[in-house]
């Protein structure tokens, strides 16, 4: 034991009775320090004390020891991983335990290295194909759950072979390392950058639709705008990129990689130092989108948005008891652009948040202005996009719009779609309740086109259902639409909600809806969306009141 190249000790009553020279040397103590004075807990990192105490109990109950790992603590406070093996024994005629302790630092380093070799590219330290595949499986699961997209970018250096051929492989290797470092600094933490070998790099980026992927592709190409300083050489190199989007261009990594690779070759064909999408329509669509996106930003800055208002009519009395605010884009060259053309781009790019904030403030201001003119108070209904509703601070934003306009909360109604509120219904319940507590009214827009859980419908503080225009459209001719509309009306009644029919265009539709017992309506039959002055006029004249 004196000569053994492992630590050996005897333990009794929680004190060391014997320690061999290897053990004292390992921890930096003397034999005199340890014998009778110290116990195992003095040699172990504090966070593992509970575990070690448990082990000692087991040993003193005569249970045979297992080997276990601890974080060993030296006299100078440094730590190292150790493997301990204890066994019950007898010392001086009384129960004791005998243990051996092994420093396993070098095994640990080797294990780590093996893990790295298996998952990481040796040259650049980036994840390799194996780890990429593993991470991609997780991304896929999340994307499926959230119905979101993933961009897979295939990046290949242009003419890399020339570097290798003219300057040698070691310069080529160094260049690859430097490229990897630069690329790595561009991506987000949740993105995976991998090297497939050679001069091929892959990015897997969750939550990316085509327009956002375009931005990233630009930044990646930008990485190569500065020359690389390698071994005294100033090297200029460019890259070609191909982009595949899940689920559009493939449902698994292999297909997406293959298609991104095809797109990358197309980028090489059209002159290198550029990127291409796999789907050709995406190449043009993203251009339109990018144009649209920068135009939308400008529109917001230059006040090109306006609101029009459409009356909401009580069917029993014919009185206008509210209006819905509808956004329009007054483009200096193109004229009036309707929301169906730009709202989805605004949603995808996140611009919907500032735009939606503006709509809310402007609608509240206008509603208050009508009140101040002495017009009868009416409800102001404002559409809220899903992204906007889910952004943190939305409730505070609504409170702010009410406070700065001075509008009574009860006169504001937020229109949400089923898609917005039923997605993560439990989380949304909190936001809905907070809005409800403020006194704000809530309605479900385009009702019937999404899917609603009736259980949630009952729990949500929603006061109004708006039957989607598509059912009202063919009310007279399509018995199915008639059935759906009348079902929504009677369901709304049972749940004590107000039911409003959208898009009423004909007197016949109106008559049918009245017969069903629908409470309210909105549509061209009464009025198209119109200017604030037009609404003031309608509120004064109340032209739809049932004279009978
Ligand atoms: P929505 O909320 O369902 O609004 C009703 C749409 O139906 C409006 O279209 C309105 O002009 C149209 N409409 C009303 N009555 C009739 C009718 O009798 N016949 C026909 N054919 N159509 C009628 P608009 O203004 O083009 O808005 C379209 C959609 O854009 C809105 O649907 C809403 O989802 C969205 N939107 C409008 N303004 C905003 C806004 O400020 N924020 C957000 N997030 N979305 C908005
Ligand atoms: Mg609406
Ligand atoms: Mg609607």
């Amino acid at each position: 034991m004196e000569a053994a190249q492992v630590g050996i000790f005897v333990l009794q009553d929680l004190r060391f009775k014997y320690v061999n020279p290897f053990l004292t040397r390992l921890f930096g103590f003397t034999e005199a320090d340890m014998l009778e004075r110290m116990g195992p807990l003095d040699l172990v990192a504090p966070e593992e004390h509970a575990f070690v105490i448990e082990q000692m109990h087991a040993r003193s109950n005569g249970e045979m020891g297992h080997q276990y790992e601890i974080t060993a603590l030296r006299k100078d406070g440094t730590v190292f991983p150790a493997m301990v093996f204890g066994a019950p024994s007898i010392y001086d005629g009384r129960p004791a335990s005998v243990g051996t302790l092994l420093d396993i630092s070098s095994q640990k380093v080797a294990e780590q290295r093996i893990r790295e070799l298996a998952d990481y590219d040796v040259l650049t330290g980036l994840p390799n194909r194996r780890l990429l595949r593993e991470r991609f499986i997780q991304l896929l699961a999340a994307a499926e759950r959230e119905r979101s997209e993933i961009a897979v970018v295939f990046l290949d250096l242009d003419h890399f072979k020339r570097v290798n051929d003219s300057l040698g492989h070691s310069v080529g290797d160094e260049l690859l390392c430097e490229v990897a470092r630069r690329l790595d600094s561009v991506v987000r933490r949740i993105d995976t950058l991998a090297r497939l070998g050679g001069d091929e790099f892959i990015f897997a980026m969750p939550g990316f639709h085509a327009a956002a992927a375009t931005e990233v592709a630009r930044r990646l190409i930008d990485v190569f705008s500065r020359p690389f300083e390698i071994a005294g050489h100033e090297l200029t190199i460019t890259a070609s990129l191909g982009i595949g989007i899940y689920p559009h261009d493939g449902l698994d990594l292999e297909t997406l990689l293959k298609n991104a690779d095809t797109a990358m070759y197309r980028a090489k064909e059209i002159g290198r130092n550029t990127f291409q999408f796999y789907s050709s329509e995406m190449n043009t669509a993203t251009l339109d989108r990018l144009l649209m996106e920068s135009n939308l930003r400008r529109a917001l800055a230059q006040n090109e948005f306006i609101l029009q208002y459409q009356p909401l009519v009580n069917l029993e009395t014919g009185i206008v008891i509210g209006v819905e605010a509808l956004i329009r884009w007054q483009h200096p060259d193109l004229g009036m652009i309707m929301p169906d053309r730009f709202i989805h781009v605004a949603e995808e790019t996140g611009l919907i948040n500032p735009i939606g904030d503006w709509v809310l403030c402007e609608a509240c201001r206008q509603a208050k202005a009508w009140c101040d003119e002495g017009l009868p108070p009416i409800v102001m209904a404002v559409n809220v996009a899903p992204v906007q509703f889910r952004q943190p601070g939305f409730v505070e934003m609504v409170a702010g719009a009410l406070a700065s306009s001075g509008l009574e909360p009860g006169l504001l109604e937020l229109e949400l779609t089923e898609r917005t509120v039923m997605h993560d219904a439990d989380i949304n319940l909190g936001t809905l309740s907070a809005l409800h507590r403020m006194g704000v009214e809530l309605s479900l827009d385009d009702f019937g086109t999404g899917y609603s859980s009736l259980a949630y419908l009952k729990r949500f503080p929603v006061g109004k259902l708006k039957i989607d225009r598509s059912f009202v459209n063919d009310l007279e001719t399509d018995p199915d639409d008639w059935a759906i509309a009348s079902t929504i009306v009677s369901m709304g009644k049972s749940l004590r909600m107000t039911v409003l029919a959208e898009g009423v265009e004909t007197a016949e539709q109106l008559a049918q809806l009245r017969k069903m017992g629908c409470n309210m309506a909105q549509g061209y039959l009464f009025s198209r969306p119109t200017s604030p002055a037009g609404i003031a006029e309608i509120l004064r004249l109340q032209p739809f009141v049932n004279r009978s």
Side-chain angles (χ1 to χ4, degrees), residues 411-480:
L411 293 183
L412 178 65
E413 178 170 278
L414 299 180
E415 294 195 359
L416 303 151
T417 63
E418 290 171 275
R419 193 163 59 92
T420 312
V421 295
M422 292 297 162
H423 175 99
D424 281 336
D426 284 312
I427 299 171
N428 293 335
L429 185 56
T431 310
L432 291 172
S433 306
L435 291 167
H436 183 66
R437 276 197 301 277
M438 264 163 55
V440 172
E441 299 290 329
L442 299 164
S443 72
L444 274 189
D445 204 353
D446 305 343
F447 192 78
T449 57
Y451 63 93
S452 280
S453 146
L454 293 181
Y456 277 115
L457 208 53
K458 201 180 65 176
R459 282 170 59 199
F460 282 158
V462 168
K464 189 188 283 173
L465 301 179
K466 297 187 75 175
I467 306 176
D468 190 64
R469 201 162 72 219
S470 59
F471 304 117
V472 176
N473 219 354
D474 299 326
L475 207 55
E476 306 125 291
T477 49
D478 188 334
D480 289 343

Side-chain angles (χ1 to χ4, degrees), residues 144-451:
E144 243 166 59
R145 211 171 41 239
E146 288 154 21
R147 299 182 179 284
S148 57
E149 301 176 317
I150 307 172
V152 174
V153 180
F154 202 116
L155 183 150
D156 185 282
L157 300 181
D158 297 326
H159 303 302
F160 177 68
K161 201 168 160 306
R162 284 188 203 159
V163 177
N164 266 344
D165 291 349
S166 56
L167 299 169
H169 283 270
S170 67
V171 172
D173 282 356
E174 254 184 79
L175 177 61
L176 287 174
C177 288
E178 193 50 38
V179 167
R181 250 194 300 279
R182 281 200 200 170
L183 291 177
D184 201 35
S185 68
V186 180
V187 296
R188 302 171 303 173
R189 226 166 42 84
I190 54 165
D191 299 332
T192 295
L193 165 60
R195 178 173 175 242
L196 285 200
D199 57 347
E200 296 173 346
F201 296 87
I202 302 295
F203 298 83
M205 306 182 293
F208 265 99
H209 50 82
T214 307
E215 291 249 359
V216 178
R218 288 252 164 74
R219 269 193 288 149
L220 293 176
I221 286 180
D222 236 30
V223 158
F224 297 90
S225 58
R226 281 176 297 127
F228 292 82
E229 305 256 352
I230 308 287
H233 301 281
E234 190 160 287
L235 301 177
T236 303
I237 192 151
T238 57
S240 297
L241 284 69
I243 307 171
I245 305 273
Y246 165 90
H248 201 274
D249 302 329
L251 295 176
D252 56 62
L253 182 62
E254 300 314 319
T255 315
L256 285 163
L257 279 181
K258 195 181 83 206
N259 291 341
D261 188 27
T262 308
M264 186 273 293
Y265 271 99
R266 229 180 290 139
K268 297 235 184 222
E269 275 165 25
I270 64 172
R272 299 169 202 269
N273 194 23
T274 186
F275 65 90
Q276 283 286 291
F277 282 94
Y278 176 68
S279 321
S280 53
E281 69 268 29
M282 264 190 213
N283 287 320
T284 45
T286 48
L287 256 187
D288 289 352
R289 262 201 197 174
L290 276 180
L291 270 181
M292 183 70 115
E293 187 183 337
S294 57
N295 280 335
L296 276 177
R297 268 180 219 286
R298 201 207 51 212
L300 191 62
Q302 307 197 343
N303 287 320
E304 290 173 11
F305 292 115
I306 59 161
L307 292 183
Q308 288 192 327
Y309 303 88
Q310 190 177 33
L312 311 177
V313 182
N314 179 321
L315 289 187
E316 221 175 293
T317 60
I319 294 176
V320 174
I321 53 176
V323 292
E324 175 174 6
L326 295 160
I327 193 171
R328 276 93 184 84
W329 178 4
Q330 195 65 55
H331 194 282
D333 308 321
L334 304 174
M336 184 119 98
I337 303 178
M338 300 310 261
D340 285 338
R341 289 219 17 230
F342 61 85
I343 286 289
H344 66 279
V345 180
E347 285 193 30
E348 283 178 7
T349 53
L351 275 173
I352 193 68
N353 290 336
I355 294 176
D357 291 352
W358 176 82
V359 170
L360 203 55
C361 291
E362 172 59 17
C364 289
R365 188 201 61 74
Q366 181 61 63
K368 183 69 167 75
W370 283 325
C371 288
D372 293 347
E373 268 180 59
L375 294 164
I378 52 164
V379 169
M380 173 60 75
V382 177
N383 291 288
V384 176
V387 196
Q388 197 188 347
F389 178 72
R390 277 182 228 130
Q391 76 177 313
F394 177 67
V395 176
E396 290 75 15
M397 166 66 216
V398 174
L402 285 170
S404 64
S405 63
L407 185 70
E408 235 178 84
L411 293 183
L412 178 65
E413 178 170 278
L414 299 180
E415 294 195 359
L416 303 151
T417 63
E418 290 171 275
R419 193 163 59 92
T420 312
V421 295
M422 292 297 162
H423 175 99
D424 281 336
D426 284 312
I427 299 171
N428 293 335
L429 185 56
T431 310
L432 291 172
S433 306
L435 291 167
H436 183 66
R437 276 197 301 277
M438 264 163 55
V440 172
E441 299 290 329
L442 299 164
S443 72
L444 274 189
D445 204 353
D446 305 343
F447 192 78
T449 57
Y451 63 93

